[in-house]
Every structure is written in C-alpha cells, then in structure tokens.
Amino acid sequence: MPVQISGMTDQEWEAQNGTLQPSEAQAQGLCWCCTGNGVLYSAFGGNQIKVSCRECSGDGKARS
C-alpha cells in the first residue's frame, strides 16, 4: 500500500527493514525475510510502500 507522506527520505524509509542478516534473524526466531517486522518497506517509482511479508504472513516469526 502506498504511503502518502511519511516525512522520511527513501533511504530512511527502506532502513526500517532492519540490519540483521537472514541467518541472524533465524537464530533469534525471527523471519529471515522481514527480520521480525512482519512488513517490508520499499521505495519505487516515487512512492514509498509497505507490504506484508509473504514468508511469515506478517507475524515476523521464523518458519521451519
């Protein structure tokens, strides 16, 4: 879903994805893809978007 006005630069927006490596996230019981956020942040085509993580169905937990 596009976000109208976040007040963040695209770089700040995407930084919300976290800094964990996939293996670090899994070791902590978090989803390797969204690092436990349950959502993914991206900036594309002049829009900042936030989408639910498909790997964990938005709950942020690791799957076996």
Side-chain angles (χ1 to χ4, degrees):
M1 86 187 330
V3 174
Q4 295 290 331
I5 301 172
S6 70
M8 298 179 183
T9 66
D10 289 350
Q11 187 175 12
E12 292 169 330
W13 182 256
E14 290 182 342
Q16 294 179 97
N17 286 316
T19 58
L20 292 176
Q21 295 296 316
S23 59
E24 294 173 318
Q26 284 184 311
Q28 294 180 28
L30 303 172
C31 173
W32 69 269
C33 187
C34 67
T35 65
N37 289 331
V39 295
L40 299 168
Y41 298 90
S42 183
F44 182 78
N47 292 312
Q48 293 176 340
I49 59 173
K50 178 171 77 170
V51 295
S52 182
C53 179
R54 292 183 183 172
E55 291 294 319
C56 67
S57 300
D59 70 7
K61 297 178 183 174
R63 301 286 187 257
S64 359

